[in-house]
Amino acid sequence: MTQSNGHPASASPPSGPPASGPSGGTPAIDPVAVIRSRAYLSALVLAAILGLPISVIAYGFLAAVSHLQTYIFVDLPGQLIEGAVPAWWPVPWLVLCGLLTALTIRYLPGNAGHSPAFGFHAGGGPPTGRELPGILLAALATLSLGAVLGPEAPLIAIGGGLAALTVHLAKKDAPPMALTMMAAAGSFAAISTLLGSPVLGAFLIMEAAGIGGATLSLVALPGLLASGIGALAFVGLDAWTGLGNFSLALTSVPPEVAPTVASLGWALAVGVVAALLGWLIRWMALSLRPIVHLNRVLVTLVLGLLIGLTAMSYQLITDHQFTDILFSGQDAMPDLVKNASGYSLAVLVVLIVGKSLMYGLSLSAFRGGPVFPSMFIGAAVGIAVSGLPGLSLAPAIGMGIGAMCAVMLRLPLTSVLLATLLLGADGLSVTPEVVVAVTVAFVTTSRLPAPAATAAT
């Protein structure tokens, strides 16, 4: 079953021939018998069928976000204003972003999904049909108009909700486990290629939900099947429409470098720095949430204004375009890595501080996912420290991405995979540094005090 934020929750596998539990009490599930059952084979077929339309909807959503971003922040100012795009251009759009997002959360059913300030967490059920419009519209406003969040959480919720709704419409008395498996399959399909690999997207969902044991095998198989179908659909739609594949990838990867004692030592320092920076971001987001709940519309509008002013300040201070610092960072990160030599240390510091501020403000009141901004900030931190003695660009970027993801997502295994797989073949060589940085960041974060009260929801 997926929760209100779209993540599959841990649940018992579908019923099959029972076996005695360890204490002779509650019967245990025999996963082999369940997989051999006719009902489970039917579930696999249904997962494959659902994977195609859900992936098409996810592709359309990502294409709409990309088109709106390009039109509003690149094409439209060129049509209205002669010369370069003025630094103030994002300010009114971020105010509109705050207004539309707040109105959607305030007046449509379902709170437009879960708050990204809490990261990924398991629990709850899939969003209902009446909650899906709010999730879709709030995410569209947040992502298209410049707030610093990613599309993964809304897509997971939309995919899981659509799959559960389809099962409910087809069979109103469907057993809970059927909804669980199909909602998970829908979530898998929706982000099938977003993170660069269907397996990585599936791993993110399963680690976030804490799925393990027999449930892992039984829920993962339909999900992976739907995810594979979804990946094929994304590739086909890209070839057919030419709109893009919307998959995270670096266009230029730094040269491979063998691990050294010095680079492993710097991984310790990067892990601590990432933990402290992530703590500040989460402290900001969680501290603002009670204020947001006092007056959702007004406060979110003001937060949008602050995000827009931060983007304007970045362009005025650094002479780099505000598009470097807006949005999730998914599209900007490949250019940042490719043109790393074109960013001075001072510019990188301004970029990291500004992006972190905008990220914390966005987490507090807007709707989206926390993955891509944390990866972008981590990459920027890695580039900033890559000039240290004994440290090269590839391991610095890998350890920065892995450490920031571990802090913001609290998913250490997924964080290692995100950092290493993103660097392609070079990811294997930097794995030791990434593992050290992720471990230090995760442990340090667990030792830090809770950044703020989280009672307000």
Side-chain angles (χ1 to χ4, degrees), residues 167-174:
V167 173
H168 178 72
L169 292 176
K171 189 176 182 181
K172 295 186 181 298
D173 59 344

Side-chain angles (χ1 to χ4, degrees), residues 295-379:
N295 191 324
R296 166 74 65 177
V297 176
L298 177 61
V299 175
T300 308
L301 187 150
V302 171
L303 293 176
L305 173 63
L306 293 176
I307 295 171
L309 291 174
T310 304
M312 181 183 74
S313 301
Y314 170 78
Q315 179 163 320
L316 293 174
I317 293 171
T318 67
D319 241 3
H320 286 257
Q321 288 295 312
F322 56 73
T323 49
D324 286 355
I325 201 171
L326 288 179
F327 314 120
S328 69
Q330 177 186 0
D331 295 329
M333 185 164 58
D335 289 334
L336 175 68
V337 174
K338 181 179 180 181
N339 304 310
S341 60
Y343 289 81
S344 66
L345 179 59
V347 171
L348 287 169
V349 170
V350 175
L351 176 61
I352 293 167
V353 172
K355 190 76 169 183
S356 299
L357 173 62
M358 297 165 70
Y359 186 24
L361 296 176
S362 299
L363 285 171
S364 67
F366 293 83
R367 290 295 183 262
V371 173
F372 291 113
S374 62
M375 295 182 71
F376 182 90
I377 294 171

Side-chain angles (χ1 to χ4, degrees), residues 69-86 88-89 93 321-322:
Q69 288 178 353
T70 302
Y71 178 75
I72 292 171
F73 293 95
V74 178
D75 298 338
L76 184 59
Q79 297 173 8
L80 300 177
I81 302 171
E82 294 184 2
V85 181
W88 57 261
W89 183 261
W93 295 106
Q321 288 295 312
F322 56 73

